[in-house]
Amino acid sequence: MREGAPRRAKSGGTAKMTDFVPKRGGVYFFAFLPGQIYSFEVIFMEKLGLNQLREMYLSYFESKGHLRLPSFPLIPQNDKSLLLIGAGMAPLKPYFADKTLAPRTRVTTCQKCIRTPDIERVGKTARHGTYFEMLGNFSFGDYFKTEAIHYAWEFLTDVLKIPENLLWPSVYEKDDEAFRIWHEEIGLPEERITRLGKDDNFWEIGAGPCGPCSEIYFDRGPARGCGKPDCRPGCDCDRYIEIWNIVFSQFNNDGNGNYTPLPQQNIDTGMGLERLACVMQDVENLFEVDTVRRIMGHISRIAGIAYGENEKADISLRVVTDHIRSTTFLVCDGVLPSNEGRGYVLRRLLRRAARHGRLLGITDNFLCDVVDTVVEENAVAYPELVTKKDYIKRVIRMEEERFRATIDAGLSILDSLTADLAKKGETTLSGAETFKLYDTYGFPIDLTEEILAEKGLSVDRAGFDELMAAQRERARTARTSAGDFAWADAENPFAQSPATEFVGYDENESRSEVLMMTVAGEPQSTAEAGDEVVVLLDRTPFYGEGGGQVGDTGILTGDNGLAVRVSDTKKRDGRYLHVGRIVSGRLAIGDKVDARIDLLRRAAIMRAHSATHLLQRALREVVGDHVAQAGSFVEPDRLRFDFTHFEALTPDEIERVEHAVNEAILKAMPVSKTEMPIEEAKKLGATALFGEKYGSVVRVVDMGDGYSRELCGGTHLNNTSEAGLFKILSEASVAAGVRRIEAVTGMGLLSLLKEKNDLIAETAGILRTSPAELAGKAKAVAGELKETQRKLQSLEEKLSAEKAEKLYETASDVGGVRLIAARVESAGTDALRAMGDSIRDAHPDAAALLASVAGGKVVIAAVCGKDALAKGAHAGNLVKKIASMVGGGGGGRPDSATAGGRDPGKLDEALAAAPDVLKGMLK
Ligand SMILES: [Zn+2]
Ligand SMILES: [Zn+2]
């Protein structure tokens, strides 16, 4: 018998279990039922630590041909159906359907798990926790019931030396085979094997592999039991606790309760590591397990409150203990606090823990300190905790700090709100108040709900959800219009990150560390090829858009083929945000990358920026000292400069400004940049932007030793000659008293020249001449055109007169007046009138009514000659009558009038009525 192995001893007495547990030195007392005196065997089992138990389990199954795999991350990989891993088999799902996918048909793991449906009960009972580890041995189409049961029994009785009489298996009521194995092969009497129904012994979670199971219960002794004669595994009391569940995974549930046999028979076992440790260490619950107890001890020390003295404080101690375990592992696996999904789970846990820290009287940040103990206690199995410790602490400290800034104000507001409710006799907090607590004070809705529930109050959840949806919509719209950088304060993922060191004045590349990033707007710790990312670096050569200068573009490269194409750089509160897309590889927070700007583009930007300074100087020289900068925008080889001035520049002024700038360029003046106290800069006469805020130390950009001296944070040339040439494109007004000049520099001029040359060549081609003869040719063409137009006009007049003559020939006699009432195809009002005039002038006895249809409308012109007028004819009245018949109106002088109508279908009828109308007006 090795040291510490189980022995049996006799003992007895009257005592409560709890009197002995904490001070226990190896003797286990089981308590006594009231009024009864019993004597019990007291069992010695070796006190095995949690880390020790994990290792014993994994190496036992390794010795049985299992492949030991490290725990999978808490974030499900390639499985969108789960938020977090909550069971040992979850990451192995695909192997249950197809063993050829598995690295081996026998696998053993200890899997980190997080379950969150009962968060608000964690702490209030000692039974609930969000974080636990699950031991498992798995067979994918390899061994089945027999071996699985034998292994379990051997491990418990032989390796852990648990006395056989304390172990009670159960089987699914219809599983005779499992019953037979326990009875005949293991040799347990029939009464020790319990048959249980589907609720207890058929294992499934939603869709996926499932099947009957066999559980192993541990008998904690009658002291924890209900005392009923039929107390057995499956009883509601605490005597028999389930420690191992062997699932004979042989069916697939399609999610709708339809079971089909899997192509292979599998074994999926699960044993809660903490629960096993409870049994082996003979403690009541997970908070008393060795490693967990030491974490709680750390919190107790900070709070100055021991566990077990005050039930209220115990609740808070348990909450913080559980939540700091789960959050340490969540952050380690790459989850970052946010308002959605996994990030929200993390935020909620951290803020709930922070609040309970407050309830314990802790006023400083403390959660990040407790991380030290969590890491220490788990380092053996999870070495990544050690390497990522600083990062984990930073993330947790940042979130804690954010909440700490508002928690006291939020809690006191919540107190007065609940007092108000009590006064009014109401029990529900409005959605608006709940939203304010969330939006202004960072209280996750679930935390507010929980705090209220402690006082028997509730929250108008629907009202809150509505306001939440409205805010999301506003944020979405704001983001689209502000290029994704208009976060509400509570949501800015970069708000707590350190600032970036800008090295881009002197360097074009740097070795940098990724401090934080978002993928599609949400904070993430890793990103893959194809992801749209915003990356914050600790140092960067990329200029962030500001002071009128556009942001740099370029590339971030790293190990394993990482390439991020940066399409823009923004600056927010000293943090440089690289906006781009991952072209290849994978990016993670903490990665080192090589950041390189697009050099040619940057050079072009600097040409334009330095030229802008020269332009301002030239404008003062040419236009006057009142010129002040009212805005500017600098792009590669292109600039826009707004300035105060009350009239347009004359062509002569524009030419002189252009000339002055180019002269300054060609003088090849050195450009220096110096940081100095603002007072000194003012003494030097440096030009500052009106209304702009400057720090106490400013950067002065000096060209030609005082020729131009401006306060400016932009990137500049070393010598004005590098600008190449400068050309003004336009000068115009943008607002009252503000003019705008647009200009190009450097290669921009070359493009401009090419554009103009191409235009000339194209025009010459169209005119069939050479560029040199273009002006002469254009003059000749214009002359030809004028002559042609003149000829055309006289021809048209002649044609119209001929047409009018033809129409007169169709006239009918109405009381001595020659009446023409006719349609004229495709003629507008002007053409009709011209035709009518020529009839009237040639024939004094004529009265003409000329109509045409254009665009679905009728136009009519009427004329009356001198003789017709004398007889009583009146063009205005005539056209008025006729127009009224085609749904319109009009009128005019007796000798000439026009009208319109909307009903072309009635035109013929109206024209036919003309003789009668005319007859009615004759004397
Ligand atoms: Zn019972
Ligand atoms: Zn500038």
Side-chain angles (χ1 to χ4, degrees):
M1 189 181 284
R2 71 189 166 91
E3 196 191 2
R7 301 190 291 273
R8 279 150 207 266
K10 288 263 179 196
S11 185
T14 54
K16 275 197 293 183
M17 178 76 184
T18 46
D19 290 342
F20 293 89
V21 168
K23 311 178 203 97
R24 175 191 73 205
V27 179
Y28 286 47
F29 288 85
F30 286 143
F32 298 86
L33 298 170
Q36 293 173 295
I37 298 171
Y38 287 94
S39 176
F40 287 102
E41 286 185 333
V42 170
I43 312 301
F44 272 91
M45 292 193 306
E46 188 179 5
K47 268 175 76 181
L48 295 166
L50 182 116
N51 285 315
Q52 214 176 345
L53 284 167
R54 186 196 298 113
E55 179 55 34
M56 287 167 87
Y57 181 92
L58 294 172
S59 44
Y60 170 78
F61 280 99
E62 269 184 320
S63 78
K64 301 295 176 190
H66 289 66
L67 174 68
R68 181 203 291 223
L69 292 178
S71 173
F72 290 83
L74 286 164
I75 301 177
Q77 316 285 303
N78 308 315
D79 184 352
K80 297 227 184 295
S81 71
L82 294 175
L83 196 61
L84 292 164
I85 295 297
M89 60 79 70
L92 307 168
K93 266 190 206 167
Y95 309 157
F96 286 88
D98 182 358
K99 63 177 174 186
T100 63
L101 299 173
R104 199 186 287 178
T105 53
R106 293 176 178 216
V107 163
T108 184
T109 61
C110 178
Q111 174 66 44
K112 314 174 253 198
C113 297
I114 286 196
R115 288 189 194 167
T116 55
D118 292 325
I119 290 186
E120 65 284 343
R121 297 177 67 184
V122 172
K124 287 174 190 146
T125 77
R127 212 177 275 176
H128 290 88
T130 56
Y131 176 83
F132 59 97
E133 290 172 74
M134 187 78 100
L135 300 166
N137 56 287
F138 305 92
S139 152
F140 309 114
D142 190 320
Y143 61 84
F144 201 47
K145 292 184 187 180
T146 307
E147 292 90 331
I149 289 175
H150 278 272
Y151 291 153
W153 190 253
E154 187 178 46
F155 178 71
L156 292 176
T157 60
D158 232 48
V159 179
L160 298 185
K161 312 283 187 201
I162 298 177
E164 290 183 11
N165 64 342
L166 297 182
L167 295 171
W168 295 67
S170 73
V171 297
Y172 179 49
E173 56 194 356
K174 292 175 186 154
D175 192 351
D176 293 331
E177 192 193 352
F179 190 92
R180 188 194 57 75
I181 296 168
W182 281 113
H183 179 49
E184 291 175 14
E185 298 184 19
I186 302 295
L188 291 177
E190 288 187 11
E191 65 273 16
R192 290 274 307 280
I193 308 160
T194 313
R195 287 180 187 262
L196 291 172
K198 198 168 175 184
D199 285 349
D200 286 302
N201 279 40
F202 195 92
W203 195 89
E204 59 188 331
I205 39 164
C210 59
C213 58
S214 178
E215 297 180 327
I216 302 170
Y217 287 77
F218 178 83
D219 179 4
R220 312 203 78 193
R224 279 145 166 142
C226 56
K228 291 178 191 150
D230 60 345
C231 184
R232 279 171 68 87
C235 180
D236 282 340
C237 72
D238 290 338
R239 175 164 178 175
Y240 297 96
I241 65 162
E242 176 226 317
I243 54 169
W244 201 327
N245 189 1
I246 307 163
V247 181
F248 309 123
S249 173
Q250 56 193 110
F251 301 111
N252 184 61
N253 181 350
D254 68 355
N256 299 314
N258 302 317
Y259 301 93
T260 45
L262 289 171
Q264 67 201 33
Q265 291 184 321
N266 309 292
I267 289 296
D268 157 22
T269 71
M271 178 152 67
L273 177 60
E274 287 85 350
R275 191 177 289 189
L276 179 66
C278 280
V279 165
M280 297 308 295
Q281 298 171 16
D282 194 39
V283 295
E284 290 298 321
N285 58 61
L286 89 100
F287 295 98
E288 293 171 24
V289 164
D290 58 341
T291 60
V292 185
R293 202 178 56 226
R294 282 194 282 273
I295 295 166
M296 189 189 273
H298 190 163
I299 303 160
S300 275
R301 281 198 303 282
I302 295 173
I305 298 177
Y307 184 62
E309 292 181 352
N310 167 329
E311 182 48 28
K312 255 193 148 165
D314 286 355
I315 291 176
S316 294
L317 284 170
R318 288 193 292 256
V319 167
V320 179
T321 304
D322 172 79
H323 290 4
I324 196 62
R325 290 176 83 216
S326 42
T327 53
T328 297
F329 280 97
L330 279 170
V331 175
C332 184
D333 280 353
V335 183
L336 288 170
S338 76
N339 291 327
E340 309 274 351
R342 289 184 273 274
Y344 177 72
V345 171
L346 174 61
R347 170 159 289 167
R348 191 181 158 196
L349 288 167
L350 280 172
R351 295 195 171 189
R352 189 171 188 260
R355 180 198 166 222
H356 279 276
R358 273 295 198 280
L359 293 178
L360 287 169
I362 306 171
T363 50
D364 284 339
N365 289 338
F366 74 106
L367 292 172
C368 52
D369 296 330
V370 183
V371 169
D372 286 333
T373 308
V374 179
V375 170
E376 202 175 300
E377 294 299 328
N378 292 282
V380 188
Y382 304 99
E384 67 271 22
L385 286 173
V386 179
T387 52
K388 285 189 171 178
K389 187 166 101 171
D390 289 343
Y391 165 74
I392 297 168
K393 290 179 74 169
R394 195 165 76 209
V395 170
I396 290 181
R397 189 187 310 114
M398 265 156 44
E399 179 67 7
E400 197 179 5
E401 261 165 18
R402 271 171 98 166
F403 190 43
R404 199 166 67 107
T406 55
I407 182 172
D408 288 329
L411 284 172
S412 82
I413 281 173
L414 191 52
D415 272 348
S416 67
L417 287 174
T418 52
D420 284 353
L421 285 180
K423 240 181 269 165
K424 286 188 269 178
E426 290 171 6
T427 58
T428 307
L429 187 66
S430 73
E433 301 286 9
T434 313
F435 183 75
K436 192 177 168 199
L437 277 166
Y438 160 79
D439 195 39
T440 313
Y441 301 102
F443 279 56
I445 169 83
D446 300 277
L447 183 61
T448 305
E449 270 183 335
E450 185 186 330
I451 296 172
L452 288 173
E454 288 166 8
K455 300 175 179 168
L457 306 171
S458 63
V459 156
D460 172 13
R461 184 83 193 218
F464 172 86
D465 289 345
E466 214 169 277
L467 290 166
M468 190 72 199
Q471 192 204 44
R472 285 210 177 101
E473 179 57 27
R474 278 198 305 278
R476 199 189 57 75
T477 336
R479 274 215 271 273
T480 0
S481 58
D484 278 338
F485 297 99
W487 296 283
D489 274 354
E491 288 181 351
N492 181 354
F494 300 100
Q496 300 296 323
S497 303
T500 307
E501 180 197 352
F502 177 62
V503 298
Y505 289 136
D506 311 306
E507 318 274 342
N508 299 316
E509 53 181 281
S510 76
R511 182 82 173 156
S512 309
E513 187 185 335
V514 178
L515 297 179
M516 184 67 90
M517 69 175 133
T518 60
V519 177
E522 281 290 316
Q524 300 289 351
S525 60
T526 60
E528 311 284 337
D531 284 346
E532 303 286 344
V533 291
V534 176
V535 181
L536 172 66
L537 297 177
D538 64 340
R539 59 205 305 273
T540 187
F542 285 72
Y543 183 85
E545 183 181 333
Q549 182 175 331
V550 292
D552 276 328
T553 64
I555 192 162
L556 311 178
T557 53
D559 298 338
N560 304 321
L562 169 78
V564 184
R565 164 100 351 245
V566 177
S567 55
D568 197 3
T569 309
K570 305 276 185 189
K571 197 169 93 181
R572 292 291 179 273
D573 307 320
R575 301 178 187 91
Y576 283 64
L577 306 177
H578 304 76
V579 183
R581 187 165 185 279
I582 300 191
V583 182
S584 63
R586 194 166 173 281
L587 184 67
I589 289 181
D591 278 0
K592 291 273 193 290
V593 295
D594 289 311
R596 275 200 309 278
I597 60 166
D598 180 339
L599 262 180
L600 288 177
R601 181 174 178 275
R602 164 68 91 71
I605 294 169
M606 300 205 295
R607 288 196 288 266
H609 198 152
S610 293
T612 306
H613 287 208
L614 295 175
L615 170 62
Q616 179 166 5
R617 169 65 213 246
L619 281 167
R620 293 189 162 201
E621 210 171 275
V622 174
V623 183
D625 272 346
H626 64 278
V627 166
Q629 179 172 345
S632 71
F633 190 64
V634 175
E635 292 172 279
D637 269 332
R638 199 178 173 95
L639 63 97
R640 202 171 73 199
F641 185 76
D642 296 348
F643 59 101
T644 51
H645 186 54
F646 283 89
E647 54 191 356
L649 266 57
T650 63
D652 173 59
E653 283 172 325
I654 291 176
E655 209 177 308
R656 277 159 58 206
V657 167
E658 208 171 73
H659 188 82
V661 174
N662 282 308
E663 210 169 50
I665 290 172
L666 295 175
K667 272 186 187 158
M669 300 188 288
V671 180
S672 72
K673 306 104 190 175
T674 325
E675 293 204 336
M676 59 179 80
I678 186 150
E679 293 309 320
E680 198 178 317
K682 276 181 184 164
K683 259 182 237 157
L684 285 173
T687 314
L689 265 183
F690 179 75
E692 186 86 345
K693 277 193 211 126
Y694 294 98
S696 54
V697 174
V698 292
R699 188 164 175 269
V700 176
V701 176
D702 188 310
M703 301 179 183
D705 197 15
Y707 173 76
S708 154
R709 202 173 261 158
E710 287 191 41
L711 298 190
C712 178
T715 57
H716 283 274
L717 306 170
N718 291 316
N719 188 294
T720 57
S721 63
E722 292 166 40
L725 271 179
F726 172 85
K727 172 80 192 153
I728 292 178
L729 297 176
S730 66
E731 191 275 345
S733 164
V734 278
V738 181
R739 310 292 303 177
R740 169 173 296 174
I741 281 180
E742 293 192 74
V744 290
T745 56
M747 301 298 271
L749 259 102
L750 213 56
S751 325
L752 184 68
L753 272 178
K754 181 174 158 35
E755 230 170 75
K756 303 233 150 156
N757 272 343
D758 287 353
L759 182 67
I760 291 169
E762 193 187 350
T763 312
I766 292 167
L767 293 178
R768 295 174 194 286
T769 185
S770 69
E773 285 156 17
L774 187 57
K777 179 77 178 189
K779 210 183 255 174
V781 169
E784 271 170 39
L785 191 63
K786 205 169 178 186
E787 176 61 17
T788 309
Q789 276 168 342
R790 202 190 54 75
K791 278 182 187 163
L792 192 66
Q793 198 184 346
S794 82
L795 266 172
E796 268 172 356
E797 281 164 10
K798 207 174 146 202
L799 213 63
S800 173
E802 274 174 17
K803 241 187 201 170
E805 215 42 49
K806 276 217 171 101
L807 280 172
Y808 183 71
E809 283 164 19
T810 68
S812 58
D813 186 90
V814 177
V817 175
R818 303 291 297 173
L819 173 66
I820 303 149
R823 269 177 183 260
V824 180
E825 292 312 318
S826 56
T829 311
D830 290 345
L832 291 178
R833 189 186 283 153
M835 206 177 288
D837 287 351
S838 88
I839 293 173
R840 181 195 59 195
D841 296 347
H843 305 283
D845 60 347
L849 206 56
L850 307 173
S852 138
V853 176
K857 283 183 179 160
V858 179
V859 287
I860 310 168
V863 293
C864 290
K866 226 175 0 173
D867 295 352
L869 285 173
K871 290 207 162 80
H874 188 289
N877 293 342
L878 187 60
V879 84
K880 195 175 185 180
K881 269 271 171 59
I882 300 300
S884 73
M885 293 180 209
V886 292
R893 305 199 316 258
D895 65 329
S896 174
T898 56
R902 292 184 303 270
D903 197 348
K906 298 238 171 84
L907 181 56
D908 289 335
E909 206 179 308
L911 290 174
D916 286 340
V917 175
L918 179 60
K919 204 178 279 173
M921 57 177 66
L922 293 181
K923 288 169 189 164

